[in-house]
Amino acid sequence: GENVEQHPSTLSVQEGDSAVIKCTYSDSASNYFPWYKQELGKRPQLIIDIRSNVGEKKDQRIAVTLNKTAKHFSLHITETQPEDSAVYFCAASRAGGTSYGKLTFGQGTILTVHP
Amino acid sequence: GAGVSQSPSNKVTEKGKDVELRCDPISGHTALYWYRQSLGQGLEFLIYFQGNSAPDKSGLPSDRFSAERTGGSVSTLTIQRTQQEDSAVYLCASSLRWGGGDTQYFGPGTRLTVL
């Protein structure tokens, strides 16, 4: 089955700096890669996703890049703000086929943005 | 509109008791997923529903775990003879279409504590 590794496990940055979180996956058939943000005691919420037919996607201060050959994808947050502090999870799944879209998650990255 | 809801929000039970956890997906969403999040860990897939059928039960950790979905809507996850290692937050998610690639919207979770 799919295995997703996420690094780093913790990340501390100063407000205004950039933050990068990286994930690798094992199943070459995976084609959908969402990123979720989970604030303390709250539910995970999708912040951005990317499909395997594109290499990069951007939404304001957040961008995701995908390298299918190397089987890794990354989340980039620019101009970080204290409200970006949360746990970020990457995930991978096959859209279509017998996986039915179940998400395999990385272990999470605790991002702390210091004012 | 209303998001995914789960009940109860917290459940404390004694070892050996049975528990039922409920999930109300977003109206009209055909796919429903259960995940488990242990303290400081990522999310672990448990089971997937496509309508009322569960074609993928591969994540259920033991035969003490079962789930059903009725009317293509509400789902119940049942854990029989609970053990301390069952303590975790149980999250439900739904998506508009089955097959993967659609955003999965998460509920707030049920925090289960087995004493």
Side-chain angles (χ1 to χ4, degrees), chain A residues 32 36 38 41-46 49 51 89 93-108, chain B residues 3-4 33 35 37 40-45 48 50 55-56 58 91 98-108:
Chain A
Y32 175 63
Y36 283 83
Q38 187 176 31
K42 301 287 185 63
R43 70 189 75 191
Q45 292 196 308
L46 180 77
D49 58 13
R51 300 170 200 278
F89 292 98
S93 77
R94 295 186 190 185
T98 57
S99 75
Y100 304 108
K102 74 179 182 185
L103 296 174
T104 301
F105 285 86
Q107 292 302 299
Chain B
V4 179
Y33 303 81
Y35 295 90
Q37 186 172 29
Q41 298 295 309
L43 286 79
E44 171 193 17
F45 168 80
Y48 158 77
Q50 174 181 309
D56 190 350
S58 62
L91 289 158
W98 56 271
D102 271 12
T103 300
Q104 293 186 23
Y105 296 89
F106 281 83

Side-chain angles (χ1 to χ4, degrees), chain A residues 28-92:
Chain A
S28 57
S30 288
N31 55 12
Y32 175 63
F33 307 92
W35 285 88
Y36 283 83
K37 175 184 181 182
Q38 187 176 31
E39 297 178 13
L40 190 62
K42 301 287 185 63
R43 70 189 75 191
Q45 292 196 308
L46 180 77
I47 54 172
I48 196 167
D49 58 13
I50 191 168
R51 300 170 200 278
S52 58
N53 58 345
V54 298
E56 184 173 1
K57 184 176 179 181
K58 190 174 182 179
D59 182 4
Q60 298 182 13
R61 297 186 297 109
I62 294 173
V64 58
T65 58
L66 171 65
N67 183 325
K68 287 188 294 182
T69 303
K71 288 189 284 188
H72 69 70
F73 56 112
S74 300
L75 177 71
H76 304 253
I77 306 174
T78 59
E79 301 172 19
T80 53
Q81 301 168 3
E83 51 265 37
D84 294 330
S85 297
V87 182
Y88 291 80
F89 292 98
C90 63

Side-chain angles (χ1 to χ4, degrees), chain B residues 57-81:
Chain B
K57 305 178 183 180
S58 62
L60 294 178
S62 76
D63 58 8
R64 297 185 295 103
F65 288 71
S66 63
E68 65 176 12
R69 188 180 185 195
T70 55
S73 181
V74 172
S75 177
T76 302
L77 177 69
T78 301
I79 309 173
Q80 296 179 307
R81 306 181 302 281

